[in-house]
Amino acid sequence: MTPRRWRRDPAALLVAAVCAVFVALAVGPSLVGARVFASADLALQFAPWRATQPAGAKPDNGCVSDPVDGFLPAAAEFRRELLHGDIAQWDNLASGGAPLAAVPSFATYSPLSLPLLALPTWLAPAWMKLLEMVVSTGGVFLFLRRLNLARAPALLGGLVFTTSGFMVTWTNWPHTRTAAFVPVLLWSLERLIQLRTARAVVPVAVSVAAMLLGGFPEVTGFALYLAAPYVLLRVLTTRQQVVAQVRSVTLAGVGVALGALLVAFQLLPFASQLSGLDLAARAQTSQQHLPLLSLVTTALPKAFGSCPGRDYVGPVNDIEANAFIGSAVLVLVVVALLRRRRPETPAGVRGFFVVAALVTVVLGWVGGPLLALAQHLPVFHNNPVPRIRVILGLCLAILAAFGYDALLRARAEQRPQRRWVEPLVWLVLAAGSVPVLIRLRNNLRPTGHLAVSDRQTLYAALAALVALAAVVLARSRVHRLAVGAIPVVVLAQALNVVLPFWPQIPRHDFYPRTPVHDYLAAHLGGERFQGTGLTMLPGTNVYYGLRSLGGHSFTASTWRQLMQVADPAAFRTTSFSSLSPSLATATSPALDRFAVKYLVMSPEVQPFGTVVSPGVASGTVPLPPGGHLDVAVTGALRGVDLALTAVTGADGDLTVQVLSKGSVVASSGHRLLPTSRPGDLPVALAGEDPPTGPLVLRIGNATSVPLGLAAVGGVPAVRLIRPAADGLRVAEASVSGTVWERTHVLDRVRWASTVSVAAEGPASLNAAGSTPAVNGQVVLASNPVKAIGGAGTVRTVHDGPDALEVRVQSEGSGYVVVADGLQASWQATVDGRAVPLLDADHALVAVPVSAGTHVVRLRYVPKGLRPGLVLSGLGVLVLLGLALLRRPAPPPVAGPA
């Protein structure tokens, strides 16, 4: 396949140009740094970022959340530690800690994640997507060339798969990094079947390893379920002797096993992690499939609206349901079924992908007995089957390539004798689409989305008609023009879906810093904070290097249980946790043990404290733009509550300052938007330590419209919020948010010399979560060192993601308590001698230490890592041996392209 051959193939050059245009438009601006290929602006709709945004600002794609609060922050943390010379196997910044690079969940070691390690985090996603597209398109191209299809259809098939619904909607998740290698696996298996050499095992093993490192084993499982019958079919149809057939199947099995062996260093720790998680909620039934009507998204991707368009009305979310392939591509699929295959193409392959597509539809959209049977198999039993769309997209892309290949050969081939068959098929298909569209319209009529859906139907019909015209004219004198129109139509339909869905945001919207982030970075140290509700968007704290109580990651069961004592509604999903903005939660003893020093709340939340009312409002005082009103006050303040009576069209800040002798001692405000309405307006103030003497509360209008405030006797009716004896104080307040300091909190790494004994389980949970946290005391199932109550000091020397080192000086025996979720796969030493790491305070850990001065070290040793490294090393040696093996190959089954 030389450049000269490409120059002699105008159809291939056209498709290559179409692919280049797609890349330039879909990711080009982000590749050169003009934009950022990520949905990080999703966070900007929440406090504390929201106050910095223009009125009416909306995220580019508000549906793409996991990459923003999970995968990109994890990549940033891994890269940050890597630059400091540490391979972060563990993430200690969210949810008490969780495996990071030790497991494949974040695709840290995927070949397609290399840009995340080599480039700045804001630039890497675009280059990662480019690399992913090269692999997915190239994999389909190589596979189809192995089947002897021409270059143009092989390349078009790659583009179709790369722009299919699954590959579009799951972009920036590990899902597509895994899926990109599925066609590579098929190519490597086809190559192995053709060559039948031991060296041909190497690409099979590498592709399997790459999929497993991609961090989404569900796609890997689906790919292997597709590949196994494909190998059997190809072996049985090659007319080899039984020995040769057994050899081919054996080599394929060796390739898959070797691929798993190569990544054993990740698979064994991952299996250990899963064994400690409650996955009961992921159990599947045969009813948990996509509605059959949602299959219309193959041709009408926006039939139910779209998530980026903020008008989605479908039965399940857009990301899970979109099965886009394109109406023009579906025309090519039908052509593949109607026309003769290329004689050089192996027999049975086209039929295999037809059957595979049909089986996939039954599993993913029909359910019933076949899905119930499949759910007894690994992968299917605890993973949502809608993600099998990746297999449907690949099968249809391959069939479309067969169809386009047939069109390219149409003029040179003899016309069929029964010319009426094809027109009849097209008429039947057109007639069959009518009841589907009627049902779709009936479903959409109550939603008010009918006009949008009709418009999408018209676009899809026009594209299909252009493709049909090309089919009709493929045997005419305008053959090249006709077949050349199809890749252009495929491109147009793909861009119609991709451009709105793939975010490209301004760089300044990529995880911007706010005063709240700056305050926490300066004061948090080694302790914890937690946002309430979606304030601080749990999980993004990892990007900023700030340790939080909750987040977006798998959480140890004991950590979850203790969090739920503080707040029963702490977990929105099994892996997403936050806290409610209630006084009961803010003062929970469980948060003291968790070392939650700060809580961050939205400015809309009324400050806790004692409210002092000025009386019943009897009028209104105006507050003109740029003006201010002064109210005399005295004493400590946590905030004020104002009553707005006029606020129409405001866009700016209502400011509140506390002045002493003309100097500002506390200030904050509240952002007003054109959508703001009259009513109570809480404003927190860090004024709990005011200077003595009279104070002035100055209320200012920094908007461009007049405001009105309820008044008592001509003075603004300001309800003062005084401090209360609740262990809280306002540490920082601004229009961005309120940072509350919890003054009764225990240190995250602390000394305990007295023990409260409570059996593990409900007893320890009650003792740790409901009883007051006492400094120097720890809850244990037993007291092995008989702590005697001597004083002790603990100084943290090193606090890294995988290791913690502290120096202890104590008068008697006791425990070093670490308020992290380190109860699994962590080991402890005292002065280099291994000691038991005890479960403490139900969810935490403690290290027994005798009197004197000692060095205590805790280290993360993933369970299964050491044997995994040995097995992976063995796999590398086997792989190298096979790669260097040079033995005469048996005659190939079919000559490679």
Side-chain angles (χ1 to χ4, degrees):
M1 193 186 306
T2 64
R4 179 177 297 178
R5 290 182 180 178
W6 279 85
R7 287 196 298 269
R8 295 175 180 174
D9 191 342
L13 288 176
L14 173 63
V15 179
V18 164
C19 292
V21 170
F22 175 79
V23 171
L25 295 177
V27 296
S30 296
L31 289 174
V32 298
R35 309 288 283 182
V36 179
F37 192 75
S39 300
D41 60 340
L42 171 74
L44 306 186
Q45 61 185 317
F46 308 114
W49 303 275
R50 182 171 53 207
T52 67
Q53 297 304 299
K58 295 185 181 298
D60 207 27
N61 186 343
C63 300
V64 183
S65 57
D66 293 358
V68 178
D69 55 31
F71 298 117
L72 282 174
E77 166 68 358
F78 183 82
R79 185 175 187 273
R80 184 165 50 231
E81 292 299 327
L82 193 64
L83 293 177
H84 288 90
D86 185 16
I87 298 176
Q89 304 276 39
W90 181 267
D91 169 22
N92 67 350
L93 295 177
S95 302
L100 181 54
V103 297
S105 302
F106 298 101
T108 308
Y109 296 124
S110 168
L112 301 183
S113 297
L114 287 174
L116 285 169
L117 308 181
L119 298 174
T121 309
W122 64 268
L123 181 60
W127 286 92
M128 183 174 64
K129 188 61 185 180
L130 176 63
L131 191 58
E132 179 187 298
M133 288 191 293
V134 169
V135 171
S136 60
T137 304
V140 174
F141 176 83
L142 291 173
F143 174 61
L144 293 173
R145 290 292 287 155
R146 273 278 159 191
L147 299 179
N148 290 310
L149 266 67
R151 297 180 191 87
L155 193 56
L156 184 64
L159 177 64
V160 170
F161 174 62
T162 298
T163 58
S164 60
F166 183 94
M167 301 299 287
V168 171
T169 61
W170 287 109
T171 288
N172 281 342
W173 269 273
H175 305 38
T176 54
R177 274 175 270 176
T178 305
F181 285 98
V182 178
V184 179
L185 173 65
L186 292 179
W187 163 77
S188 64
L189 289 169
E190 178 62 33
R191 179 176 180 273
L192 181 147
I193 292 167
Q194 291 182 12
L195 300 182
R196 292 183 293 155
T197 64
R199 292 183 68 188
V201 167
V202 173
V204 177
V206 171
S207 60
V208 170
M211 283 195 295
L212 291 171
L213 292 174
F216 199 65
E218 184 178 359
V219 168
T220 305
F222 290 152
L224 293 176
Y225 282 126
L226 174 71
Y230 178 81
V231 169
L232 291 177
L233 171 75
R234 288 289 291 119
V235 168
L236 293 174
T237 57
T238 53
R239 298 180 182 177
Q240 303 174 17
Q241 294 182 352
V242 174
V243 173
Q245 291 176 337
V246 171
R247 172 185 171 87
S248 296
V249 173
T250 302
L251 288 175
V254 168
V256 173
L258 182 57
L261 194 65
L262 290 171
V263 296
F265 73 100
Q266 291 242 285
L267 294 184
L268 294 185
F270 184 54
S272 175
Q273 180 196 26
L274 291 180
S275 67
L277 297 175
D278 183 6
L279 301 177
R282 295 179 63 89
Q284 301 293 301
T285 71
S286 60
Q287 303 304 313
Q288 291 174 289
H289 56 80
L290 289 168
L292 187 59
L293 186 61
S294 68
L295 259 181
V296 299
T297 58
T298 55
L300 309 176
K302 301 177 186 178
F304 302 100
S306 68
C307 192
R310 302 174 184 88
D311 62 350
Y312 188 72
V313 294
V316 293
N317 73 70
D318 201 9
I319 295 174
E320 289 282 11
N322 195 307
F324 169 72
I325 201 77
S327 58
V329 171
L330 291 176
V331 169
L332 293 178
V333 171
V334 176
V335 171
L337 302 180
L338 296 175
R339 300 289 177 89
R340 297 189 187 94
R341 63 178 175 83
R342 183 184 287 268
E344 302 89 345
T345 303
V349 170
R350 182 179 58 175
F352 171 84
F353 286 106
V354 172
V355 173
L358 292 174
V359 170
T360 302
V361 168
V362 173
L363 291 172
W365 285 266
V366 178
L370 185 62
L371 180 58
L373 180 64
Q375 285 169 343
H376 289 89
L377 301 173
V379 176
F380 282 98
H381 74 284
N382 62 353
N383 285 291
V385 78
R387 290 153 192 190
I388 205 170
R389 289 176 299 137
V390 63
I391 302 301
L392 179 64
L394 179 58
C395 291
L396 294 180
I398 291 170
L399 292 173
F402 273 91
Y404 193 55
D405 186 73
L407 291 183
L408 289 176
R409 296 180 287 106
R411 198 175 183 201
E413 289 188 344
Q414 186 178 3
R415 291 177 181 267
Q417 293 182 348
R418 298 179 179 178
R419 299 182 185 180
W420 53 270
V421 173
E422 283 196 22
L424 179 62
V425 170
W426 294 117
L427 286 174
V428 169
L429 290 175
S433 66
V434 172
V436 175
L437 292 175
I438 291 174
R439 182 181 174 190
L440 175 65
R441 297 184 88 253
N442 289 338
N443 281 13
L444 291 175
R445 188 169 282 109
T447 69
H449 187 72
L450 195 56
V452 176
S453 178
D454 287 345
R455 190 163 53 249
Q456 290 297 315
T457 302
L458 177 62
Y459 295 157
L462 289 174
L465 287 174
V466 172
L468 275 173
V471 173
V472 173
L473 298 174
R475 290 192 172 99
S476 69
R477 294 181 179 180
V478 292
H479 166 78
R480 289 190 177 183
L481 180 62
V483 297
I486 289 182
V488 177
V489 176
V490 170
L491 171 66
Q493 289 200 287
L495 290 175
N496 178 53
V497 176
V498 165
L499 291 181
F501 212 100
W502 286 356
Q504 297 199 67
I505 66 172
R507 185 177 171 185
H508 58 72
D509 285 346
F510 187 76
Y511 298 104
R513 297 187 70 88
T514 69
V516 172
H517 292 93
D518 292 337
Y519 182 88
L520 292 175
H523 296 85
L524 189 61
E527 310 308 313
R528 278 194 176 82
F529 85 95
Q530 181 57 46
T532 58
L534 293 178
T535 298
M536 299 294 285
L537 189 56
T540 60
N541 60 286
V542 176
Y543 181 88
Y544 295 95
L546 303 171
R547 184 178 281 107
S548 70
L549 172 67
H552 192 172
S553 65
F554 288 117
T555 306
S557 58
T558 52
W559 191 273
R560 174 199 300 271
Q561 292 161 3
L562 190 54
M563 274 190 72
Q564 288 175 321
V565 171
D567 180 4
F571 282 82
R572 292 177 174 237
T573 70
T574 55
S575 59
F576 187 90
S577 56
S578 184
L579 292 176
S580 303
S582 68
L583 181 62
T585 296
T587 57
S588 169
L591 300 192
D592 295 334
R593 298 183 189 274
F594 277 133
V596 179
K597 185 176 182 180
Y598 297 105
L599 291 174
V600 182
M601 297 188 184
S602 165
E604 282 80 15
V605 177
Q606 179 171 309
F608 305 125
T610 302
V611 179
V612 179
S613 176
V616 179
S618 57
T620 299
V621 291
L623 183 57
H628 67 267
L629 296 170
D630 290 347
V631 179
V633 296
T634 58
L637 290 174
R638 278 188 180 173
V640 296
D641 197 4
L642 308 174
L644 276 132
T645 59
V647 68
T648 304
D651 187 6
D653 297 340
L654 181 96
T655 63
V656 177
Q657 295 177 320
V658 179
L659 292 85
S660 174
K661 299 178 182 180
S663 298
V664 177
V665 296
S667 66
S668 186
H670 198 108
R671 175 79 184 279
L672 298 177
L673 299 171
T675 55
S676 297
R677 297 289 180 266
D680 291 344
L681 191 75
V683 178
L685 291 163
E688 300 195 41
D689 301 307
T692 57
L695 302 172
V696 173
L697 187 72
R698 176 162 293 173
I699 306 167
N701 180 1
T703 75
S704 58
V705 299
L707 304 176
L709 297 175
V712 176
V715 178
V718 180
R719 288 186 291 274
L720 304 180
I721 302 175
R722 304 289 190 184
D726 51 17
L728 303 172
R729 64 183 296 273
V730 178
E732 168 74 4
S734 68
V735 294
S736 296
T738 307
V739 180
W740 290 87
E741 181 179 1
R742 304 181 67 260
T743 59
H744 294 166
V745 66
L746 305 181
D747 291 337
R748 178 172 147 262
V749 183
R750 53 188 181 258
W751 175 255
S753 55
T754 59
V755 174
S756 174
V757 177
E760 293 181 358
S764 67
L765 181 61
N766 180 66
S770 304
T771 60
V774 178
N775 197 21
Q777 186 182 77
V778 62
V779 177
L780 297 174
S782 62
N783 184 12
V785 300
K786 305 300 180 187
I788 60 173
T793 59
V794 177
R795 180 172 65 89
T796 301
V797 177
H798 174 71
D799 191 0
D802 301 327
L804 174 70
E805 179 179 327
V806 298
R807 296 188 183 276
V808 186
Q809 189 170 7
S810 64
E811 297 174 358
S813 299
Y815 300 88
V816 173
V817 179
V818 181
D820 288 350
L822 312 181
Q823 294 182 351
S825 297
W826 279 76
Q827 298 176 355
T829 63
V830 175
D831 301 327
R833 177 176 54 86
V835 296
L837 187 62
L838 307 177
D839 293 351
D841 289 344
H842 189 73
L844 317 180
V845 294
V847 181
V849 180
S850 59
T853 302
H854 302 281
V855 175
V856 176
R857 293 187 177 91
L858 276 70
R859 187 165 63 98
Y860 177 54
V861 182
K863 187 176 181 181
L865 177 62
R866 289 173 179 171
L869 287 172
V870 172
L871 292 175
S872 293
L874 177 62
V876 170
L877 292 177
V878 173
L879 191 75
L880 291 175
L882 291 174
L884 297 174
L885 185 65
R886 293 186 177 274
R887 295 181 59 186
V893 172

